[in-house]
């Protein structure tokens, strides 16, 4: 085997590997034989390739993508940090790993996703699953801190089955904002939701904030007959309604959670309801079955107060009260919410949070009520990346306002000159127009090219003979066989302008 001597075409990583492999070749020829194919040798060995891989299901991005990612992360951090600072937030850091006992018993069924570290003969540790529990542990250790607004941007780890295109990874960034301490009811909730609104406005991303309340949900489940020991299990199933049909959720409740079918059916009557805060609060207040449940009534009173605060803060318009939102984490005790983006995407929620009043007390003697929100930076990055791809694609193939179609014609020219003249008139009027660049295009090819174009001009032999063309508004709710409206050829530009002016 000859070693590669010409390294002029190699990048830094290849040079580094090449130098290591050269040294390896002198000392361990067999091992070098396996590695050399990947730096210019002749044979391939999959085991050697594994040396150059990263851990499964972790994002692998090239230098250009990493440059974009870092730029987005930096811009996001600046925008979101400025929002936090406006609201009195201070930065706080916590360790990437915690004692395993700190993390266990806080995440419900998702506890299986915690990364446990190998016992090295000392403390039993795990990588942090989120930034909330480590913050609660920090609060419990600081008896001098009675109130704080803190934020943190850092990586968390989950042993999940991710999909990179959906922004779901095993290692990813989260950005948290929390308000800890005793305040009057719903004031911290209103400010936290206002922060969410400001953050996504800064990113120019339209959002819907779906909210519910753990007290209302727990009371609802109790009224429906769910045993108290199974309320968390039922909550976890109901929380899947954003991606699974009710029939699948019902089957999980009955077959896996062992909930009686009639109880599951009663739950289903309520948890599929959603609407504005005013609509849903009116519905809950009018439901006779809920009138004697203190949890539900307490939740209704607080949410009415929250609604008035959100209106004062100009944050109410983005809210949807959704009873299917249950949030599977065990530590939530009151208001819960998640944020979705109002544009096509595959990533689901991009932020979520809620009130957790009992978590800090699990680590010490003092109980510190808290509320917070966590932004999924990698999911936001995925949406921004998809938005950029759609923008580039649209710029590469921009749809015209008008497409000119030739129908029939006895001569070989297919009304090419007439189509050119019509297009020129539209261009002169600053209207985007296109036609087939063929002398006699097929009708089907022209129909295909005019797909998604709002206005179509149809030129036929009989119409042109009397100085007319047909104009069809493709967005109208008309019969698909509609041939369009007959107009004078000389009025084409004005008629097109009138159509384009429609709302």
């Amino acid at each position: 085997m000859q070693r590669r001597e010409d390294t002029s075409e190699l990048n830094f990583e290849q040079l580094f590997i090449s130098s290591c492999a050269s040294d390896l070749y002198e000392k361990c020829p067999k091992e070098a034989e396996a590695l050399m194919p990947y730096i210019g040798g002749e044979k391939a060995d999959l085991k050697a390739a594994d040396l150059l891989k990263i851990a499964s299901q972790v994002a692998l991005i090239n230098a250009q993508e990493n440059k974009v990612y870092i730029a987005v992360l930096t811009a996001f951090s600046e925008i979101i940090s400025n929002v936090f600072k406006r609201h009195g937030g201070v930065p706080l850091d916590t360790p990437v790993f915690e004692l395993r006992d700190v993390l266990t018993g806080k995440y419900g069924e998702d506890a299986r996703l915690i990364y446990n570290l190998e016992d090295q003969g000392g403390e039993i540790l795990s990588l942090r699953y989120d930034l909330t529990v480590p913050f609660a542990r920090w609060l419990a250790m600081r008896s001098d801190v009675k109130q704080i607004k803190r934020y943190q941007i850092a990586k968390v780890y989950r042993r999940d089955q991710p999909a990179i295109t959906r922004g779901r990874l095993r290692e990813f960034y989260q950005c948290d904002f929390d308000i800890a301490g005793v305040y009057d009811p719903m004031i911290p909730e209103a400010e936290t939701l206002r922060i969410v609104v400001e953050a996504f406005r800064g990113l120019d991303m339209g959002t819907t904030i779906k909210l519910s309340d753990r007290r209302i949900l727990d009371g609802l489940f109790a009224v429906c007959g769910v045993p108290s020991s199974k309320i968390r299990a039922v909550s976890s199933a109901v929380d899947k309604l954003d991606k699974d049909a009710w029939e699948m959720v019902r089957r999980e409740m009955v077959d896996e959670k062992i909930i009686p079918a009639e109880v599951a059916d009663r739950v289903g009557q309520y948890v599929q309801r959603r609407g504005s805060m005013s609509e849903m609060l009116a519905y809950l207040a009018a439901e006779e079955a809920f009138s004697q449940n203190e949890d539900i009534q307490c939740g209704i009173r607080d949410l009415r107060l929250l609604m008035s605060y959100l209106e004062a803060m100009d944050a109410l318009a983005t809210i949807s009260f959704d009873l299917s939102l249950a949030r599977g984490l065990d530590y939530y005790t009151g208001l819960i919410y998640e944020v979705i983006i109002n544009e096509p995407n595959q990533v689901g929620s991009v932020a979520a949070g809620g009130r957790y009043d009992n978590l800090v007390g699990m680590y010490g003697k003092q109980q510190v009520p808290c509320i917070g929100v966590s932004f999924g930076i990698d999911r936001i990055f995925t949406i921004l990346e998809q938005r950029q791809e759609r923008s580039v694609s649209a710029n590469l193939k921009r749809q015209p306002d008008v497409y000119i179609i030739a129908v029939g014609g006895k001569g070989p020219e297919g009304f090419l000159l007439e189509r050119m003249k019509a297009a020129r008139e539209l261009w002169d009027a600053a209207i985007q127009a296109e036609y087939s660049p063929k002398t006699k295009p097929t009708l089907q090819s022209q129909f295909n090219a005019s797909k998604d174009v709002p206005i179509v001009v149809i030129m036929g032999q009989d119409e042109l003979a009397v100085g007319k063309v047909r104009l069809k508004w493709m967005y109208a709710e008309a019969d698909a066989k509609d041939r369009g409206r007959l107009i004078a050829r000389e009025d084409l530009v004005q008629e097109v302008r009138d159509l384009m002016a429609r709302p």
Side-chain angles (χ1 to χ4, degrees):
M1 170 181 287
Q2 288 186 334
R3 278 175 281 164
R4 173 180 284 185
E5 300 294 336
D6 180 14
T7 60
S8 60
E9 297 295 319
L10 298 180
N11 60 26
F12 175 80
E13 290 83 20
Q14 289 173 310
L15 286 170
F16 176 76
I17 295 171
S18 179
S19 64
C20 293
S22 298
D23 185 61
L24 181 65
Y25 185 82
E26 299 293 335
K27 299 177 182 178
C28 308
K30 291 183 179 180
E31 288 78 359
E33 286 281 333
L35 182 59
M36 287 299 285
Y38 300 96
I39 58 171
E42 301 163 350
K43 295 193 296 181
D45 188 305
L46 293 177
K47 291 184 179 179
D50 290 341
L51 297 174
L52 309 181
K53 291 170 59 178
I54 62 173
S56 175
Q57 307 291 0
V58 178
L60 177 60
I61 53 181
N62 61 37
Q64 181 61 30
E65 289 172 332
N66 187 64
K67 183 178 180 180
V68 174
Y69 181 83
I70 295 299
V72 171
L73 178 62
T74 301
F76 175 87
S77 299
E78 182 177 357
I79 290 170
I80 200 75
S81 296
N82 287 336
V83 173
F84 295 155
K85 291 173 184 176
R86 282 202 299 269
H87 290 264
V90 295
L92 179 69
D93 194 27
T94 56
V96 72
F97 49 79
E98 295 278 349
L99 291 172
R100 191 170 302 169
D101 288 343
V102 169
L103 303 183
T104 54
K106 315 301 186 304
Y107 303 110
E109 295 181 355
D110 285 345
R112 69 186 188 282
L113 304 180
I114 296 175
Y115 267 111
N116 294 322
L117 301 180
E118 184 178 354
D119 182 6
Q120 300 289 339
E123 297 173 319
I124 308 300
L125 304 173
S126 298
L127 294 179
R128 62 188 175 204
Y129 176 94
D130 63 11
L131 302 178
T132 304
V133 169
F135 171 59
R137 188 266 311 149
W138 179 87
L139 269 178
M141 297 174 63
R142 295 293 302 268
S143 59
D144 58 319
V145 178
K146 303 302 181 183
Q147 288 185 338
I148 187 174
K149 295 178 179 179
R150 75 98 195 200
Y151 66 91
Q152 181 178 2
I153 301 174
K155 287 184 176 180
V156 297
Y157 302 86
R158 297 182 186 178
R159 193 162 50 89
D160 206 346
Q161 295 299 323
I164 291 177
T165 58
R166 296 174 58 193
R168 181 182 291 273
L169 307 170
R170 286 183 168 180
E171 177 192 57
F172 57 95
Y173 276 100
Q174 277 193 343
C175 170
D176 279 25
F177 180 88
D178 297 86
I179 300 177
V182 177
Y183 296 83
D184 287 347
M186 309 314 288
I187 294 177
E189 281 84 345
E191 185 170 8
T192 302
L193 293 175
R194 171 65 196 188
I195 286 170
V196 171
V197 170
E198 290 182 25
F200 285 104
R201 281 180 182 171
L203 293 170
D204 193 25
M205 303 177 83
T207 60
T208 296
I209 303 174
K210 297 163 55 177
L211 63 74
S212 187
D213 193 290
R214 257 293 170 67
R215 296 165 298 177
I216 291 176
L217 289 172
D218 289 355
L220 183 154
F221 295 147
V223 168
C224 291
V226 177
S228 59
S229 61
K230 294 189 175 182
I231 282 179
R232 287 293 165 264
V234 170
S235 294
S236 179
V238 168
D239 199 45
K240 298 174 183 176
L241 278 172
D242 63 333
K243 49 186 177 293
D244 293 337
W246 165 247
E247 290 72 18
M248 295 180 63
V249 172
R250 182 187 184 278
R251 190 179 305 122
E252 178 181 340
M253 292 171 60
V254 174
D255 296 344
E256 299 179 24
K257 314 299 185 187
I258 319 300
I259 299 297
E262 61 274 15
V263 172
D265 290 337
R266 285 197 291 270
V267 170
Q269 294 176 9
Y270 299 118
V271 297
Q272 298 180 78
R273 291 183 174 271
R274 63 185 58 84
S276 67
M277 286 192 73
S278 59
E279 292 170 345
M280 292 300 294
L281 288 173
Y283 164 74
L284 292 171
E287 192 69 16
E288 182 64 28
F290 299 156
S291 61
Q292 301 303 313
N293 186 280
E294 184 55 33
D295 283 339
I296 294 177
Q297 295 304 311
C298 183
I300 291 174
R301 288 193 296 270
D302 279 353
L303 289 186
R304 281 176 176 161
L305 188 60
L306 175 64
M307 185 169 66
S308 66
Y309 294 162
L310 291 175
E311 188 171 15
M313 292 186 177
D314 189 26
L316 187 58
T318 63
I319 303 294
S320 172
F321 191 163
D322 191 335
L323 287 176
S324 70
L325 178 64
R327 302 288 294 149
L329 304 183
D330 284 351
Y331 52 68
Y332 289 123
T333 58
L335 186 72
I336 50 178
Y337 37 83
E338 67 179 26
V339 184
I340 57 175
I341 300 297
N342 299 336
E343 60 185 79
N345 67 83
Q346 299 177 338
V347 305
S349 63
V350 293
R355 173 160 288 282
Y356 54 101
D357 284 349
N358 302 327
L359 185 57
V360 176
M362 294 181 180
Y363 306 114
K365 296 180 180 179
Q366 66 171 348
Q367 195 67 269
V368 182
C370 301
I371 185 167
V373 61
S374 177
F375 298 84
I377 297 179
D378 287 272
R379 292 190 174 191
I380 294 171
F381 173 78
T382 298
I383 291 177
L384 292 174
E385 188 176 43
Q386 292 171 353
R387 180 190 289 181
Q388 180 66 21
E389 289 172 355
R390 289 196 299 270
S391 175
V392 170
S393 177
N395 288 332
L396 291 175
K397 187 180 179 182
R398 187 165 182 174
Q399 292 288 359
D401 298 317
V402 181
Y403 196 89
I404 305 166
I405 292 177
V407 179
K410 295 180 180 179
E413 76 289 344
F415 303 128
L416 179 59
L417 293 178
E418 288 81 357
R419 287 182 283 143
M420 285 182 171
K421 290 176 182 177
R424 184 257 303 163
E425 292 173 14
L426 293 168
W427 294 336
D428 287 344
I431 296 172
Q432 297 177 43
E434 289 185 7
Y435 58 90
S436 174
K438 294 185 177 181
T439 55
K440 198 161 186 177
T442 65
L443 196 57
Q444 187 61 51
S445 68
Q446 294 178 95
F447 284 154
N448 292 341
S450 65
K451 184 181 179 182
D452 298 328
V453 177
I455 301 171
V456 171
V457 177
I458 304 171
M459 292 185 166
Q461 182 171 331
D462 294 340
E463 291 84 355
L464 287 174
V466 294
K468 296 183 181 296
V469 294
R470 292 189 179 274
L471 195 62
K472 188 169 182 179
W473 175 242
M474 303 303 289
Y475 291 166
E477 296 180 5
D479 191 320
K481 296 180 180 180
D482 177 25
R483 298 178 60 203
R485 182 165 55 89
L486 203 61
I487 66 168
R489 168 65 182 82
E490 61 187 20
D491 296 335
L492 175 61
V493 172
Q494 187 57 49
E495 292 281 357
V496 168
R497 280 176 172 161
D498 291 343
L499 280 179
M500 293 177 65
R502 287 187 179 185

